[in-house]
Amino acid sequence: MFEIPTLEALNLAPALPAISLAFGVCVLLLLDLLVVPKDRKEITAWLALAGIGVSFVLNLAVFNQTADAFLGMFVADQFSGFLNIVILVGAAISILLSMDYLKRTQIERGEYYSLMLMSVSGMMFMASANDLVMVFIALELLSIPLYVLAAFRAPEAKSEESGMKYFILGAFSSAFFVYGAALIYGATGTTNLPAIFQAVTAIVAAGGSPMFLLLVGAGLLLVGLGFKVAVVPFHMWTPDVYEGAPTPVTAFMSVGAKAGGFAALLRILAVALPSFVLADGQTTAAWQQLAWLVSAATLILGNIVAIAQSDIKRMLAYSSIAHAGYIFMAVAAAGTQGMADAAVQAALLYLLAYTFTNLGAFGVAMAVEKDDGAGTRLDDFIGLAKTRPDLALMMALFMLSLTGIPLTSGFLGKFVVFKATLDAGLVPLAVIGVVTSVISAFYYVRVIVNMYLREGEGDPAAGATRYVNWGVYAAAAGTLIMGVFPVVVTNLTDAVTLAATVIR
Amino acid sequence: MPEVSSAVSLTSVMLFIPIVGLIILLFLREDTQREAIKYSALATSLLTFAASVLLWLGFNTSQPGLQFAQRGEWITSLNISYYVGVDGLSLLLVMLTTFIMPLAILASFRTGVLEERGRQKLYYAFMLLLEFAMLGVFVAQDLFLFYIFWEVTLVPMYFLIGIWGAEQRIYAAVKFFLYTMAGSILMLLAVLFVGTQAGTFAVPDIIAGVQNGTINFPFDGIFSTQSFLFLGFLIAFAIKVPIWPLHSWLPDAHVQAPTAGSVILAGVLLKLGTYGIVRFCLPMFPEASVAWAPVVAALAVIGIIYGAWVSYAQTDVKKLVAYSSVSHLGFVVLGIFALNQQGIAGAILQMVNHGISTGGLFLMVGMLYERRHTKALNAFGGIWKVLPVFGGISLVITLSSMGLPGLNGFVGEFTILLGSFGSQYLGFFFTLFATIGVILAAVYMLYMFQKVFMGELDKEENKNLPALHWQELAVLVPIVILIFWIGLQPGVFFSSMDASVNQLVTQVTDVAASVALR
Amino acid sequence: MSVQIEAYVILSAVLFILGAMGVLLRRNAILVFMSVELMLNAANLALVAFARQWNQMDGHIFVFFVMTVAAAEVAIGLALIVAIFRTKQSINLDELHQLEG
């Protein structure tokens, strides 16, 4: 009844970027254990960067093709190719930010980088997952190392608490995901996303009890992924986890986990369920209403609660909730017939923009942070423009980008997302989006006010060592280049389509 | 539409001179090369002015369309292009910008607060960035490009107020930022909607489409798609202008800003709003413009009276001048929504006039402040006796601001009043109340002049004020020259815009008339 | 006559809900953790039942993956619980309030 597939049939070539990284993790663990001396752990970091570089090159090699691997469970297309770039760039900057931070906070252990790479490979599998089983495995591969990383500062109570909270809610959300997947499997008899699409179309036409399973299943899937990307009402873990985790981990988590989560969300919604309950004459999918509400609630709550924060990490945590809301606008837009590709492109652009900007902001936050984890209040930024004009200027750039001021990547992201939302006919959602953008200016501008306008001693920003500077400069360059020459990236995203994915 | 060349045009050259200057500035060192920083900023702005003079000289006044235009590819997938050029509507405002900037920079040389707070390199860098952004707003012909420049003007102005402002600077800066951002982000939605519907962001293409009916923003009354788009743009512009009742950020920003900041704010930034109405609201949404004209004009008239009234009640010179801006800009808006040749031409000229005379008034207040470190009206008195030259120049500027015949302010205001009276959409009552505003302007302006310069020299501190420095004279003299030139030879300036304004009026009224027939 | 598929699905749903309530109501980290396992196993039951209904292997294989992953989660989760117990001498989740909010 069962044949063992040959290696040719598995067709691993398209999956090489992700596989190479997973393999790299094993090599890195061994090298770190056997070769790298105990007091020279930055060697491990460089090896990890090399691994990311290899994966990046392989990704460029497979970038412009659409091919499947693992018998249709894995698909490499422009969507995954672009997301891989986002993820790898984010990971590389995160490693740069981590190197000195680990040393000065005395948590420099070699496993750190292996765990990070493991999570990155999970994100890459997530970007390519074309089957619910694959999504699940990738989700766990992404999450489990992050639980450990969040608690990496153990035995410090805050960090342990952060890891514990993240772990419990992460496991909880995975359970929702699996149960949702089980119900969808029950309704359709398959876990392959494109095949689910065909089955769903048939079920919608016929109606009956599978319809109920499908509805509940899709709902649970969304709940599970909603936890991962931190949208309201599944956001409450975010501020605590972000505050307690070591700052470079927070930075990495805020962009990587988000990219992975949205990758799965977009692919499931756009490939498996685009016509979900699309009865005759209707042009919007049933889940659009839900996505609309989630997006609006996330935007409003994230932006308003962020105003009340006095700690930069918590402020950025709520800001990351808010930005999940903006990306979710694109998700909602994908629910209008014919809008899937444009919405997916918008979401990808937003993710890349957010990756650069947010990593940069966390980088500067790290530079101001003290060795014992203090120095993360917004007031600690007072006078930074005098002591470190370069860092202050870049922080200002990141804050303006997060607000969405032109000539920064954040503006491009908002522009395409708002455009997609309007094109999809969701005018009220677009209005909520712009109004909350204005609200967001309150708390982003406050950082600039502290750095430039308020008089004070000024923090020496002792954490701004060489590699942190490199990371922040790289993020600033990305933010500016995307803002001034958007063509560089829009050329890549323009090619992205999710419509013609392989069915096995 | 004729194909627009993608070759580098004079407009682009002028636009990017400040950026080149900015880059040079970044390589100079704050601690050792302070003079070099100052003078390279000044030289950059003068060079920009020279480039704009070339534009003026090469400008063909009989041609209504864009000149010195350039259109290059930018974000092709979104139909966004780098599209710049000048026409009769923008030429004078470009000139105004490049004229005001060197004066503002030169005036900064003698501003105490700069010495006190330091960070001069940052200051001049923001000035040049601001010049770049403001010029960009006036020459951009693509909605996306325009929006970018529009938003970018916010950032340097925010810092200028926030770092080098007076005591309440942080409050004023944040208020300025949030107010303007709230307006402009609504405009972003409208921009997106228009661009999506039209399939292009190029303004001349959109206008042509609206004219020949290929692009149609549905209009059936004051609450329809087109009206909402119109309002999306208008509210953003109205906040910038500011049109009553959206003006409350203005007094704070003006009073707290450093002198050069106030000069640029009053001289150029406010005109971005009125220019935006002329450039975008009227030709893209003609039916809505006609439908909303009486409402907006009524607000403008309220602004004229209100601004004048509140000005008169002020005890702070700078606040008085700030509120007078609300009043003066009311005239400009009234002229625009007269929707006829005289009204719009008068409005554009009045934008320039207001830039020159109110800019001059703020310079005057700044120079007083540098000498006395106060802005309270009753701290002065009899200054004429100590500083006769300064008093004379200030008198000319004050008279120009209140609209004395023979000076520039009169020409603009009178043309606007004629336009409003002859307008088929406005008429007698609008003109009547606006005229009351003119009279009130005379009252509060003369009141201010009398309190400061006339009367007894009864305060000890005022007796030994230092005379004008040559740099201060160099700032004021060009303003006085321009005041007389526009006042005595307005034809030169009107003729540069007549063709474009004529075309604009036809665009609006033709479409609106065809709607009336339907 | 075998048991109807509906029975399995309903049982799994009951288990899942019990597990979810356990996570939300229990304060002991170990019990919370066991509740999560209960949810996962509810999903496993449903998967097996559906695989039987469709007469396929896919569902069974999914179950194996879920079990493996659950084992990995156990390893991490217990390690975290032990670490926290060492610092705080308690595994009551309510006592985790170092972080504001």
Side-chain angles (χ1 to χ4, degrees):
Chain A
M1 150 178 193
F2 221 58
E3 268 175 65
I4 297 171
T6 60
L7 206 56
E8 286 77 36
L10 283 178
N11 188 26
L12 296 184
L16 268 183
I19 292 177
S20 74
L21 208 61
F23 182 71
V25 173
C26 306
V27 177
L28 193 66
L29 265 178
L30 284 177
L31 283 180
D32 181 60
L33 191 66
L34 304 175
V35 183
V36 179
K38 249 203 160 66
D39 50 344
R40 302 282 312 276
K41 288 300 179 197
E42 72 264 23
I43 296 177
T44 319
W46 288 113
L47 289 173
L49 279 176
I52 286 176
V54 169
S55 177
F56 194 88
V57 171
L58 287 172
N59 183 49
L60 290 185
V62 299
F63 185 72
N64 251 337
Q65 61 183 43
T66 302
D68 64 321
F70 295 117
L71 307 170
M73 294 183 82
F74 183 102
V75 58
D77 52 10
Q78 287 100 338
F79 177 76
S80 67
F82 188 85
L83 267 169
N84 286 347
I85 293 178
V86 175
I87 293 163
L88 290 171
V89 167
I93 297 178
S94 304
I95 289 181
L96 278 178
L97 295 180
S98 308
M99 289 161 77
D100 292 320
Y101 183 89
L102 297 184
K103 195 177 288 172
R104 73 190 174 95
T105 53
Q106 284 152 17
I107 48 171
E108 190 177 45
R109 277 167 265 158
E111 312 88 88
Y112 180 90
Y113 301 105
S114 312
L115 286 167
M116 206 170 226
L117 283 204
M118 204 182 289
S119 183
V120 171
S121 72
M123 291 163 193
M124 291 173 70
F125 276 110
M126 193 90 150
S128 288
N130 199 31
D131 189 294
L132 289 176
V133 179
M134 183 63 108
V135 175
F136 174 65
I137 298 169
L139 188 70
E140 293 298 323
L141 187 57
L142 178 171
S143 307
I144 293 178
L146 283 182
Y147 305 147
V148 184
L149 285 174
F152 210 70
R153 226 168 154 159
E156 206 222 40
K158 271 190 176 183
S159 181
E160 281 179 346
E161 183 183 333
S162 157
M164 190 70 199
K165 282 187 171 160
Y166 195 29
F167 167 71
I168 290 198
L169 282 161
F172 190 51
S173 69
S174 316
F176 275 94
F177 182 88
V178 178
Y179 200 73
L183 293 187
I184 289 196
Y185 174 64
T188 61
T190 176
T191 52
N192 179 291
L193 299 185
I196 290 176
F197 167 65
Q198 293 187 326
V200 168
T201 318
I203 291 170
V204 171
S209 73
M211 192 70 198
F212 177 70
L213 283 182
L214 201 57
L215 270 172
V216 179
L220 292 175
L221 274 189
L222 293 188
V223 171
L225 292 172
F227 267 111
K228 274 285 160 256
V229 298
V231 287
V232 173
F234 315 112
H235 65 284
M236 54 288 177
W237 57 272
T238 321
D240 286 355
V241 172
Y242 277 24
E243 188 189 346
T247 314
V249 174
T250 311
F252 176 63
M253 210 151 53
S254 71
V255 298
K258 198 152 277 173
F262 272 109
L265 204 55
L266 284 167
R267 211 185 269 276
I268 288 175
L269 288 179
V271 173
L273 306 170
S275 61
F276 187 35
V277 201
L278 203 61
D280 290 335
Q282 266 187 316
T283 53
T284 55
W287 47 264
Q288 189 180 49
Q289 284 292 328
L290 197 68
W292 194 113
L293 281 175
V294 167
S295 171
T298 310
L299 288 170
I300 293 170
L301 185 128
N303 278 312
I304 287 179
V305 182
I307 296 177
Q309 304 307 315
S310 58
D311 181 287
I312 183 86
K313 281 167 88 176
R314 283 186 88 81
M315 190 271 262
L316 286 174
Y318 280 105
S319 129
S320 96
I321 293 173
H323 284 277
Y326 291 112
I327 306 174
F328 226 88
M329 286 172 75
V331 174
T336 298
Q337 214 168 28
M339 276 301 297
D341 284 343
V344 166
Q345 291 164 9
L348 289 181
L349 273 179
Y350 203 103
L351 276 171
L352 183 62
Y354 180 70
T355 298
F356 280 126
T357 310
N358 213 44
L359 283 177
F362 271 113
V364 180
M366 272 172 48
V368 176
E369 191 178 333
K370 304 281 179 294
D371 292 356
D372 57 358
T376 59
R377 289 171 307 132
L378 289 182
D379 286 347
D380 292 314
F381 283 82
I382 292 177
L384 190 66
K386 286 218 176 91
T387 46
R388 283 300 301 266
D390 55 334
L391 282 183
L393 190 64
M394 278 181 283
M395 189 65 167
L397 176 74
F398 298 136
M399 290 298 122
L400 293 176
S401 175
L402 287 172
T403 319
I405 299 292
L407 298 185
T408 62
S409 61
F411 174 68
L412 180 70
K414 280 197 176 145
F415 186 85
V416 288
V417 164
F418 291 164
K419 184 168 189 299
T421 316
L422 279 181
D423 287 352
L426 301 171
V427 180
L429 184 59
V431 172
I432 293 176
V434 297
V435 170
T436 51
S437 294
V438 178
I439 295 175
S440 78
F442 270 103
Y443 55 89
Y444 292 131
V445 165
R446 190 183 300 152
V447 178
I448 301 180
V449 166
N450 280 354
M451 291 189 305
Y452 279 91
L453 312 189
R454 285 177 60 182
E455 303 290 332
E457 272 297 284
D459 189 280
T465 48
R466 179 159 41 133
Y467 301 130
V468 173
N469 283 341
W470 287 8
V472 175
Y473 289 152
T479 304
L480 264 186
I481 290 173
M482 268 187 85
V484 181
F485 305 107
V487 193
V488 182
V489 280
T490 50
N491 277 348
L492 294 179
T493 51
D494 282 348
V496 174
T497 63
L498 276 181
T501 335
V502 196
I503 305 177
R504 282 285 176 103
Chain B
M1 288 301 287
E3 273 301 303
V4 182
S5 155
S6 65
V8 175
S9 73
L10 184 55
T11 318
S12 298
V13 173
M14 177 197 68
L15 180 61
F16 280 95
I17 291 175
I19 286 293
V20 175
L22 178 67
I23 292 169
I24 294 172
L25 215 58
L26 291 181
F27 287 100
L28 295 174
R29 287 183 55 85
E30 168 104 47
D31 39 0
T32 53
Q33 293 169 299
R34 184 166 294 177
E35 293 302 305
I37 289 175
K38 285 179 178 178
Y39 283 100
S40 62
L42 180 65
T44 307
S45 64
L46 285 174
L47 209 58
T48 318
F49 179 64
S52 71
V53 170
L54 289 182
L55 271 185
W56 166 269
L57 293 177
F59 191 80
N60 177 359
T61 53
S62 60
Q63 212 242 63
L66 283 180
Q67 304 183 29
F68 303 104
Q70 175 187 351
R71 184 173 190 171
E73 292 192 347
W74 193 21
I75 315 174
T76 27
S77 58
L78 298 173
N79 289 321
I80 291 165
S81 53
Y82 171 81
Y83 192 176
V84 295
V86 288
D87 64 1
L89 304 178
S90 54
L91 178 68
L92 282 182
L93 293 163
V94 168
M95 298 294 298
L96 174 71
T97 312
T98 57
F99 172 77
I100 294 277
M101 280 313 291
L103 301 184
I105 289 176
L106 188 57
S108 312
F109 287 10
R110 301 194 53 77
T111 306
V113 71
L114 268 179
E115 302 296 331
E116 188 186 305
R117 303 237 172 88
R119 295 200 249 176
Q120 302 216 5
K121 180 168 144 183
L122 198 61
Y123 177 86
Y124 290 107
F126 279 134
M127 291 290 252
L128 292 181
L129 182 63
L130 190 57
E131 175 163 30
F132 168 68
M134 292 187 306
L135 285 175
V137 169
F138 290 133
V139 300
Q141 299 298 332
D142 181 285
L143 278 175
F144 184 87
L145 190 64
F146 162 78
Y147 184 80
I148 284 184
F149 283 122
W150 174 271
E151 284 279 270
V152 170
T153 55
L154 243 172
V155 178
M157 198 62 214
Y158 164 78
F159 281 108
L160 287 179
I161 298 175
I163 302 182
W164 295 279
E167 298 77 31
Q168 302 279 313
R169 58 184 177 276
I170 296 181
Y171 169 75
V174 172
K175 191 168 175 183
F176 167 77
F177 191 92
L178 292 178
Y179 244 90
T180 8
M181 175 152 179
S184 52
I185 201 129
L186 275 178
M187 180 167 72
L188 175 63
L189 273 193
V191 164
L192 278 166
F193 197 90
V194 168
T196 316
Q197 294 288 305
T200 173
F201 285 89
V203 180
D205 295 357
I206 296 173
I207 294 173
V210 169
Q211 290 301 308
N212 61 29
T214 50
I215 300 171
N216 182 26
F217 304 117
F219 179 83
D220 52 4
I222 56 170
F223 295 109
S224 53
T225 311
Q226 190 182 123
S227 290
F228 287 125
L229 292 174
F230 171 79
L231 289 178
F233 277 90
L234 185 78
I235 290 173
F237 297 143
I239 289 177
K240 204 84 162 190
V241 171
I243 296 179
W244 185 89
L246 300 171
H247 63 277
S248 80
W249 63 271
L250 179 89
D252 288 307
H254 264 314
V255 172
Q256 303 303 326
T259 302
S262 298
V263 171
I264 296 172
L265 198 57
V268 188
L269 269 182
L270 305 186
K271 276 71 186 183
L272 301 186
T274 42
Y275 167 78
I277 298 174
V278 176
R279 164 71 69 200
F280 302 104
C281 284
L282 301 191
M284 289 200 306
F285 318 112
E287 294 103 323
S289 300
V290 168
W292 282 87
V295 180
V296 187
L299 292 178
V301 171
I302 295 175
I304 294 174
I305 309 265
Y306 169 86
W309 193 264
V310 179
S311 273
Y312 183 69
Q314 297 307 314
T315 53
D316 176 307
V317 195
K318 214 170 179 186
K319 241 184 181 157
L320 190 153
V321 180
Y323 274 109
S324 82
S325 284
V326 178
S327 182
H328 283 133
L329 267 303
F331 278 103
V332 176
V333 176
L334 179 69
I336 292 172
F337 281 94
L339 298 178
N340 54 21
Q341 172 88 23
Q342 281 169 322
I344 294 175
I348 293 175
L349 191 68
Q350 186 63 9
M351 289 184 215
V352 178
N353 290 337
H354 175 261
I356 295 166
S357 31
T358 309
L361 285 174
F362 276 117
L363 285 170
M364 185 190 95
V365 175
M367 289 171 192
L368 282 173
Y369 180 79
E370 290 304 320
R371 284 170 172 72
R372 283 284 281 108
H373 294 282
T374 175
K375 289 174 285 196
L377 261 183
N378 52 18
F380 300 102
I383 302 288
W384 186 294
K385 289 171 185 149
V386 202
L387 299 170
V389 179
F390 183 54
I393 293 175
S394 300
L395 180 62
V396 173
I397 297 176
T398 311
L399 293 177
S400 134
S401 180
M402 60 176 252
L404 187 82
L407 301 180
N408 63 348
F410 174 75
V411 184
E413 280 178 7
F414 190 70
T415 322
I416 288 173
L417 291 176
L418 277 183
S420 139
F421 191 69
S423 165
Q424 62 183 110
Y425 309 106
L426 308 178
F428 175 70
F429 281 103
F430 287 93
T431 320
L432 176 71
F433 283 107
T435 315
I436 295 176
V438 179
I439 298 164
L440 286 175
V443 175
Y444 66 79
M445 277 293 156
L446 290 176
Y447 166 74
M448 175 196 76
F449 190 79
Q450 181 225 334
K451 283 284 252 185
V452 174
F453 290 95
M454 298 291 130
E456 282 307 305
L457 185 60
D458 51 0
K459 301 200 177 49
E460 198 55 42
E461 306 92 313
N462 291 338
K463 285 187 179 148
N464 290 312
L465 296 181
L468 285 188
H469 187 269
W470 67 266
Q471 286 175 346
E472 291 174 321
L473 264 181
V475 172
L476 291 175
V477 166
I479 289 183
V480 174
I481 293 175
L482 214 56
I483 285 176
F484 280 109
W485 188 15
I486 298 180
L488 300 173
Q489 277 197 309
V492 179
F493 299 89
F494 278 130
S495 71
S496 74
M497 61 172 116
D498 271 346
S500 299
V501 172
N502 197 7
Q503 187 193 38
L504 174 67
V505 171
T506 329
Q507 282 167 352
V508 179
T509 43
D510 275 6
V511 175
S514 73
V515 172
L517 287 180
R518 255 191 263 142
Chain C
M1 184 67 196
S2 62
V3 185
Q4 291 283 307
I5 175 82
E6 282 84 358
Y8 289 109
V9 178
I10 290 167
L11 175 62
S12 82
V14 170
L15 290 176
F16 185 79
I17 292 166
L18 280 177
M21 286 172 60
V23 173
L24 297 173
L25 300 177
R26 288 291 183 167
R27 289 333 320 154
N28 182 306
I30 298 271
L31 284 177
V32 167
F33 191 41
M34 284 169 67
S35 302
V36 171
E37 292 299 306
L38 188 59
M39 292 168 77
L40 287 175
N41 283 318
N44 283 347
L45 177 61
L47 279 169
V48 173
F50 286 129
R52 196 72 194 131
Q53 180 201 14
W54 293 106
N55 204 13
Q56 285 175 340
M57 288 301 286
D58 299 29
H60 297 294
I61 293 170
F62 201 157
V63 170
F64 278 107
F65 278 114
V66 175
M67 284 161 65
T68 323
V69 165
E73 273 186 353
V74 169
I76 297 297
L78 286 182
L80 276 171
I81 291 173
V82 169
I84 288 197
F85 185 74
R86 269 201 289 200
T87 4
K88 301 192 72 119
Q89 304 298 316
S90 158
I91 50 169
N92 188 331
L93 291 179
D94 281 342
E95 288 174 27
L96 294 181
H97 44 59
Q98 286 286 310
L99 303 161
E100 52 180 285

